[in-house]
Amino acid sequence: MRRKLVFATNNAHKLAEVRAMLDGVIDILSLDDIGCHTDIPETADTLEGNALMKAGYVASHYGLDCFADDSGLEVEALGGAPGVHSARYATDGHDHRANIAKLLAEMRGQAGRRARFRTVIALMEGGRVHCFEGEVTGQITTEEHGCNGFGYDPVFLPDGHAKTFAEMSDGEKNAISHRARAVAALVDYLKSLRP
């Protein structure tokens, strides 16, 4: 019987990405699977703080091993913004269209378009906490390209690639994304625990 871990997210896109990456390694339960319908606060001022907050909530309220992530887009010309506020950049409600529109408006006329996506995963298992990080660098495009993915994917062109994340297949994106890199570190750790 495979081990089960809760992924503390309500984001269906993230859940699908991570389940695909961990297929055959571990069974991932969603918050819905464990009956958690709470909007877990994300009020920390760092990605790591938010990931720890979400994982800690599930561990303390449900007594289950779990992990949570927080991701952010950090744009050099904007001093690292939107960063920890990426999901709520333009509104309070995870409005991807509004977030992209605000980002492109703020980037208008900017010559330097360097950016990076970062993900921090906090794993709470057996009373211990472990953190894993993934990062991918690239550029912010001047307009949207592609319709796959979610969030800022249509305007993020990863270094060494001719397509934005939103123009890539799920498999292509999962091979190089910040979340994939953080999950790979998590998988390596989980595999190291096997007898």
Side-chain angles (χ1 to χ4, degrees):
M1 185 173 180
R2 277 203 311 232
R3 184 171 177 198
K4 298 182 187 305
L5 266 181
V6 177
F7 182 17
T9 185
N10 286 312
N11 185 316
H13 295 288
K14 278 189 194 180
L15 187 61
E17 276 186 7
V18 171
R19 277 184 169 154
M21 286 182 265
L22 287 170
D23 188 39
V25 177
I26 202 158
D27 288 331
I28 299 299
L29 302 176
S30 68
L31 291 176
D32 193 49
D33 290 334
I34 64 168
C36 178
H37 305 289
T38 304
D39 189 14
I40 302 170
E42 298 178 53
T43 55
D45 57 3
T46 64
L47 299 176
E48 181 175 290
N50 278 339
L52 287 166
M53 189 176 288
K54 291 184 281 187
Y57 181 91
V58 171
S60 65
H61 287 78
Y62 293 86
L64 299 169
D65 287 348
C66 67
F67 66 95
D69 80 316
D70 198 24
S71 298
L73 175 67
E74 300 172 348
V75 180
E76 198 172 279
L78 301 180
V84 73
H85 305 291
S86 293
R88 296 176 178 86
Y89 192 42
T91 70
D92 287 338
H94 292 71
D95 184 336
H96 302 308
R97 312 292 325 153
N99 289 339
I100 289 173
K102 180 176 179 178
L103 176 65
L104 290 178
E106 291 190 353
M107 292 296 293
R108 195 169 293 123
Q110 294 278 359
R113 305 185 78 83
R114 297 291 304 155
R116 68 178 181 169
F117 265 124
R118 282 197 320 124
T119 291
V120 176
I121 293 175
L123 168 68
M124 294 193 170
E125 49 93 30
R128 295 178 305 277
V129 177
H130 305 276
C131 289
F132 309 92
E133 188 169 331
E135 175 182 309
V136 63
T137 57
Q139 303 275 338
I140 301 301
T141 58
T142 56
E143 58 188 32
E144 294 183 50
H145 299 278
C147 55
N148 292 332
F150 61 99
Y152 297 93
D153 287 357
V155 295
F156 185 79
L157 181 68
D159 288 341
H161 295 272
K163 297 189 281 190
T164 66
F165 272 169
E167 293 175 294
M168 294 180 178
S169 69
D170 291 346
E172 290 173 314
K173 179 186 171 185
N174 287 347
I176 63 165
S177 79
H178 49 301
R179 186 169 297 106
R181 291 173 178 174
V183 170
L186 170 66
V187 169
D188 286 346
Y189 171 76
L190 293 173
K191 284 181 176 176
S192 76
L193 300 179
R194 290 180 174 174

